Amino acid sequence: MSYQDHIIEMSQLVKSKGGAWDGIDAEAVARMRLQNRFKTGLEIARYTADIMRKDMAAYDANPADYTQSLGCWHGFIAQQQMIAIKKHFGTTERKYIYLSGWMIAALRSEFGPLPDQSMHEKTSVPALIAEIYTFLKQADARELGLLFRDLDAARAAGDAAREEELTDAIDNFQTHVVPIIADIDAGFGNAEATYLLAKKMIEAGACAIQIENQVSDEKQCGHQDGKVTVPHEDFIQKLRAVRYAFLELGVDNGIIVSRTDSLGAGLTKQIAYSKAPGDLGDKYNGFLDCEEIAAADLKNGDVVIERGGKLLRPKRLPSNLFQFRPGTGEDRCVLDSITSLQNGADLLWIETEKPHVEQIAGMMDRIREVVPNAKLAYNNSPSFNWTLSFRQQVYDAWAKAGKAVAAYEREKLMSVDYDGTDLAAEADERIRNFQADGAKRAGIFHHLITLPTYHTAALSTDNLAREYFGAQGMLGYVLGVQRQEIRQGIACVRHQNMSGSDVGDDHKEYFAGEAALKAGGVHNTMNQFA
């Protein structure tokens, strides 16, 4: 419905009340409605799920149309990300937000900072989703409010062309509300617990839920040691639980991102149930590290598997965990991924130990032999040393091609001494092209950085503290922050406006008319930044 249609509809409603609502301004109502387009989280989930489905289809047609996101740990950070994207690129298309369980654990738990082991309150996940969308909707209200003020000024000046231009901008306004891919870890319990939490996340607005195949009570960060996976049938129950949650709430297009940690997980908590040779449970057990024994070799408490007429004893640790054979990680990732896609997952996530396009592509090639349109969400993780990894990749490629590498020490390539070299330049170019190359070669539909704003907050605060508490004093803030905000057009330089002061003034005028006591008058110091 257009801006003018809203005004007409509200005018008719006010008029129908026989004078009782004459204090209600129809255009003010129209503005408030446009500033609050999404009334519930479920509306957001349905809207953003459709966006993701459209983007997935576009990527299938052209891998250059991949999508991206940054992980955000607060609603304000997500809001500023989307405001920046609109400012720099003019559109939010193919730009999402990632919600990281790691950052919730580290920054949003009432227990204080925690490791990424699902020890934080599960309710903090939907709470952050809701918080992010509150801030994104506020960004809509703020930006539309500025357009409304400009529209009023154009009318007052009698500038009909400008009025038409602004009306068109209002009618074609692009919301800051974009899809969130939200981390549910390993489901925080059994399938019922996963279902209940998934419902809360969807009700808060999540259209895409990422779930991993680790055991929930021993969950570890994907880039740390000690990961323990579960048999496929256990994980499939949780995939179904998430799908049921989407369908119950009417988000039929909801996205499930199935993550496998098998590449770095050498342990399982249980032996899979198998009915017949070659079934899914038997395939899972086939990766176990076993020794062949005779019946006479059985010891107290032994667990054994019969396969092909042989008696096999899986290696069991004192922790009662079973060990996989070394070198089976990639095969397990491929089987995990195919199985997930065949049981309702929409996107894959393969957690790797380094950012290497051909390593990822090698697994995706095998997966796509079975599921041709398989697509990845890939973690461009800050846990990787990108500089060292890519310099070593270039070093190895040069050495293989017979190019001289004697001037370089492979293990010391992180050194600043190499920053100006040809090798460093080629490595940086590979990093710059990593997302496009990965999208084209390795089936990566969505590139995300899990923890970027954790690191940027730390870095910017360190820089400010060094200057402000040092010899620069207040100049440290002015040079490093405020002057840059002004010159780069950062909206937050007018922090009162960003926090909603002008929208609040608009409401005061709607409610009280000429009696409104507004904050944005001539003496407001924010006018220095107008």
Side-chain angles (χ1 to χ4, degrees):
M1 187 183 296
S2 71
Y3 180 43
Q4 193 61 38
D5 288 339
H6 276 291
I7 295 172
I8 292 169
E9 182 180 282
M10 285 301 98
S11 296
Q12 292 172 345
L13 179 61
V14 169
K15 190 177 295 185
S16 73
K17 299 302 178 181
W21 284 15
D22 284 356
I24 300 297
D25 182 270
E27 186 165 12
V29 178
R31 292 180 175 188
M32 294 174 79
R33 282 189 165 190
L34 290 173
Q35 287 173 306
N36 186 29
R37 171 179 172 181
F38 299 99
K39 309 301 186 291
T40 68
L42 283 177
E43 286 185 28
I44 291 173
R46 295 184 188 110
Y47 167 77
T48 53
D50 289 344
I51 289 174
M52 279 195 71
R53 292 289 178 179
K54 176 178 70 71
D55 288 347
M56 289 163 69
Y59 172 81
D60 286 340
N62 181 6
D65 290 336
Y66 59 90
T67 57
Q68 299 167 291
S69 66
L70 295 174
C72 298
W73 53 272
H74 193 279
F76 175 74
I77 301 296
Q79 179 198 67
Q80 293 307 301
Q81 173 189 312
M82 299 319 301
I83 287 174
I85 286 170
K86 285 191 74 174
K87 181 182 80 169
H88 291 297
F89 306 106
T91 179
T92 60
E93 288 180 4
R94 302 199 305 275
K95 307 296 190 291
Y96 304 164
I97 289 167
Y98 180 67
L99 186 149
S100 161
W102 191 101
M103 283 209 284
I104 291 178
L107 300 172
R108 300 303 299 262
S109 172
E110 292 184 10
F111 295 107
L114 293 171
D116 183 22
Q117 296 172 355
S118 290
M119 295 189 291
H120 54 280
E121 309 87 345
K122 64 175 70 176
T123 53
S124 59
V125 185
L128 180 53
I129 297 168
E131 176 183 291
I132 287 173
Y133 281 126
T134 296
F135 274 80
L136 295 184
K137 290 192 293 180
Q138 192 261 358
D140 282 358
R142 172 190 166 274
E143 190 171 314
L144 281 165
L146 294 173
L147 289 173
F148 296 146
R149 285 170 180 248
D150 288 345
L151 179 63
D152 290 340
R155 286 174 177 170
D159 189 341
R162 177 63 173 157
E163 182 179 350
E164 183 178 351
E165 177 188 334
L166 287 163
T167 301
D168 185 65
I170 292 165
D171 285 341
N172 292 286
F173 178 80
Q174 186 181 48
T175 177
H176 295 82
V177 169
V178 297
I180 287 178
I181 297 176
D183 187 358
I184 200 172
D185 283 4
F188 286 85
N190 61 13
E192 177 70 9
T194 301
Y195 154 77
L196 292 171
L197 179 54
K199 279 182 62 177
K200 290 293 185 184
M201 293 168 68
I202 297 162
E203 287 169 343
C207 72
I209 293 178
Q210 168 220 329
I211 185 166
E212 62 203 54
N213 69 335
Q214 291 191 49
V215 63
S216 59
D217 59 343
E218 298 283 356
K219 182 258 189 298
Q220 292 276 24
C221 173
H223 288 280
Q224 292 188 308
D225 206 354
K227 294 184 290 295
V228 182
T229 63
V230 297
H232 297 100
E233 291 293 351
D234 293 42
F235 187 58
I236 289 169
Q237 292 178 29
K238 294 187 176 182
L239 295 178
R240 291 194 192 113
V242 175
R243 181 62 67 201
Y244 271 110
F246 274 125
L247 295 175
E248 178 183 338
L249 295 171
V251 186
D252 297 350
N253 258 350
I255 313 293
I256 299 176
V257 183
S258 173
R259 168 174 154 177
T260 173
D261 280 285
S262 289
L263 196 61
L267 303 169
T268 183
K269 197 164 190 177
Q270 61 198 91
I271 295 172
Y273 176 70
S274 173
K275 293 181 179 178
D279 66 11
L280 196 54
D282 189 51
K283 290 178 181 177
Y284 187 81
N285 294 338
F287 294 117
L288 293 172
D289 193 357
C290 301
E291 58 180 336
E292 185 179 349
I293 62 170
D297 297 327
L298 284 172
K299 299 177 183 177
N300 184 55
D302 270 353
V303 174
V304 296
I305 298 173
E306 189 277 332
R307 182 180 292 122
K310 297 178 180 179
L311 202 59
L312 304 176
R313 179 166 56 199
K315 291 185 179 178
R316 185 163 57 167
L317 305 179
S319 60
N320 205 34
L321 299 172
F322 296 94
Q323 189 170 298
F324 290 114
R325 294 196 316 278
T328 61
E330 289 202 6
D331 291 339
R332 285 183 280 130
C333 282
V334 170
L335 180 60
D336 294 344
S337 299
I338 292 170
T339 301
S340 291
L341 291 173
Q342 291 175 336
N343 285 276
D346 302 290
L347 292 173
L348 300 173
W349 174 316
I350 299 175
E351 195 75 351
T352 65
E353 82 288 359
K354 61 182 179 293
H356 194 294
V357 170
E358 286 305 316
Q359 178 198 28
I360 304 161
M363 290 183 278
M364 284 300 291
D365 287 346
R366 295 170 61 188
I367 295 165
R368 285 181 152 186
E369 288 176 4
V370 181
V371 186
N373 69 337
K375 291 179 282 294
L376 274 176
Y378 185 73
N379 178 8
N380 292 219
S381 177
S383 293
F384 303 143
N385 184 332
W386 286 76
T387 301
L388 180 60
S389 179
F390 275 83
R391 287 181 181 182
Q392 288 181 340
Q393 287 179 42
V394 172
Y395 178 97
D396 293 341
W398 283 10
K400 185 176 180 180
K403 192 170 181 177
V405 293
Y408 305 97
E409 289 187 66
R410 189 179 187 279
E411 300 308 316
K412 297 182 179 179
L413 287 173
M414 183 66 201
S415 171
V416 69
D417 296 339
Y418 295 116
D419 283 1
T421 64
D422 291 344
L423 185 146
E426 182 171 329
D428 283 353
E429 188 66 7
R430 289 193 183 197
I431 294 171
R432 187 178 73 83
N433 291 321
F434 175 80
Q435 295 190 338
D437 290 344
K440 182 179 180 180
R441 172 70 184 94
I444 301 176
F445 158 74
H446 185 73
H447 282 278
L448 61 99
I449 309 179
T450 43
L451 320 176
T453 53
Y454 177 90
H455 292 280
T456 55
L459 179 61
S460 61
T461 302
D462 181 270
N463 290 336
L464 176 60
R466 181 189 64 229
E467 300 301 322
Y468 176 73
F469 292 105
Q472 293 282 60
M474 191 59 197
L475 184 60
Y477 174 77
V478 172
L479 279 179
V481 181
Q482 190 180 78
R483 195 173 295 174
Q484 299 306 313
E485 287 181 302
I486 294 170
R487 292 180 175 171
Q488 294 181 40
I490 305 300
C492 270
V493 72
R494 296 178 63 210
H495 49 258
Q496 306 286 15
N497 166 267
M498 183 57 66
S499 71
S501 179
D502 289 347
V503 173
D505 272 1
D506 292 339
H507 291 173
K508 289 176 185 178
E509 190 169 359
Y510 300 161
F511 305 155
E514 293 182 358
L517 184 64
K518 298 193 287 185
V522 68
H523 298 298
N524 189 320
T525 60
M526 286 286 102
N527 294 333
Q528 297 172 40
F529 304 100

